[in-house]
Amino acid sequence: MTLTFDPHEIAETLYHGQFCPMFIDGKDVPALSGEVIDVVDPASGRALATVPRGGVEDVDAAVAAARRAFEGEWSKFTPYDRQEVLLRIADVMERDWEKLCVSDTADMGLPLTRTMGNKRRVIGMLRFYAGQATALHGDYIENSISQSMVSFTTREPVGVVGAIIPWNAPTAASIWKIAPALATGCTVVLKPSEDAPLTPLMIARLMQEAGVPDGVVNIVTGTGREAGARLAEHPDVNKVVFTGSTATGKTIARAGVENLKRITLELGGKSPLIICKDADIDKAVPVAAMAVYAHSGQICIAGSRLFVAREIQDEFIEKLRDFARGLKIGHGLDDGTDLGPLINRVQAEKVEGYIAKGKAEGARLVTGGARPEGADYAGGNFLEPAIFADVTDEMTIAREEIFGPVISVLPFDTMEEVVTRANATPYGLAAGVFTRDLGTAHRTVKKLKAGSVWVNMYHAIDPAVPFGGLKMSGYGKEGGVEHLQAYLDTKAVWIQTE
Ligand code: NAI
Ligand code: MG
């Protein structure tokens, strides 16, 4: 991608260490405690900005604002009005797309070519939900009790939605949580990750510009333990939508029990990607590599268990190694960067811990896994893309979500065997298979226990296609028409006509 602007220059104008307030009831506010959190550029370690360290009282204020808006001005918006607002948000976000992407990249490291490349999906999502806003309806139901009784259903917004998102895709995750809420008439309090809070703050202000009334979308920055936990347990929050780790997802589900919140959880994965012996190897190699290295492995759907047919294993690993070595590691804002940094030092050390464990448990490190050297990498959390061969199912690196640029190659002999092994995980988010045989493709898809299965491809996500996990990868779908159903309640109405 050739850029027509200088991303570093935009980054300088956006953030130069200043304080970025949070957004409650349409106003810029600090935390009531006055405390702040430092936000750093993971590629350089440089301080970008500070944001409020929102706590219980700030979340309570945001939920109160969201409740007032839900019952007040927002409830007067017709589906057409909400559709118009969503379409205007799409327009202003499209206008400011470069700025939004520079902000995301500066904040969490993903190469700009990747954040920019999400445009069709993210802007398209807003327009998709705008379309859905005017397509909501109840049903007229013929009852068997009496012809003088009329029975029908209405679909009503669940109310105040608490959204908690991770750091790996702040723009896309914000829109995926907020757009269906706006389409259905709900209001939102969103807590971004403490590791990447900046772009959601920008998005909320663009939504205000697009005509979203005060209190409909509120952003509370803060830590998970403080602001996140309060939002998850808040008695006046009707629904929580969460994307993040399985451990935190369980905590959130527990916190929601008290007022029986509706909950959608999009959690972790250890997704299998199966390369059959008849696969088109040259097509499969770059896809298998980027199934993990996209976003330096920090992506829930990472195809981190790469099952390769034993007959083609040597050739495949050699080509995968060459591909990995050709990837350019660097600052996400630099031209030509393929692989950005990991989000923070803790995450980089966690991944290094997995690499050490892989070696200690007998896997063979084919390439990568070290910190790249040189002035360009000073202060950043960079790791070379790693490939382990001779991995067995019991090894830690084959079982746990690493969330880093590490591929484990596991050889297999038969399709029956590989499907059983692929499913032998607590997770069930995604899976992939490469084969040129249509029968093999269909049979394998049918047996794989995962929320999304890709054949001869990986990674595709679209607003119109449902996405979400099985098993410990969570429940509830985002995307598709069923997404909106999770933001609606059904009311049954009976009328005696005689
Ligand atoms: P996390 O799941 O703890 O954080 C995600 C969001 O939840 C953040 O906004 C955080 O502030 C919030 N949160 C944390 N604890 C909370 C609580 N008790 N109540 C309510 N909200 C809470 O993930 P984190 O700490 O960023 O990363 C830890 C590990 O989780 C990573 O190393 C990775 O393995 C995994 N992870 C997986 C993701 C996925 O999409 N599969 C996304 C992010 C992290
Ligand atoms: Mg955490």
Side-chain angles (χ1 to χ4, degrees), residues 134-210:
T134 51
L136 304 170
H137 59 83
D139 291 313
Y140 178 86
I141 302 162
E142 199 79 48
N143 71 75
S144 303
I145 301 174
S146 162
Q147 290 191 335
S148 70
M149 285 180 191
V150 169
S151 45
F152 61 93
T153 57
T154 60
R155 307 286 286 142
E156 301 181 356
V158 293
V160 175
V161 174
I164 302 174
I165 60 170
W167 37 264
N168 53 357
T171 297
S174 299
I175 297 303
W176 232 4
K177 310 296 190 233
I178 296 173
L182 298 185
T184 49
C186 296
T187 56
V188 184
V189 177
L190 180 134
K191 195 206 81 67
S193 165
E194 49 272 53
D195 281 309
L198 297 175
T199 320
L201 291 169
M202 200 188 276
I203 290 172
R205 289 172 182 106
L206 290 177
M207 289 185 170
Q208 185 177 48
E209 181 192 333

Side-chain angles (χ1 to χ4, degrees), residues 164-168 191-195 222-225 227-230 232 242-249 251-252 266-269 299-301 347 350 401-403 429:
I164 302 174
I165 60 170
W167 37 264
N168 53 357
K191 195 206 81 67
S193 165
E194 49 272 53
D195 281 309
T223 67
R225 273 171 205 280
R230 178 59 181 160
F242 171 73
T243 298
S245 63
T246 295
T248 300
T251 307
I252 284 171
E266 201 266 275
L267 309 177
I299 182 159
C300 50
I301 52 178
Q347 188 65 22
K350 185 177 156 192
E401 181 176 51
I402 296 177
F403 237 57
L429 189 57

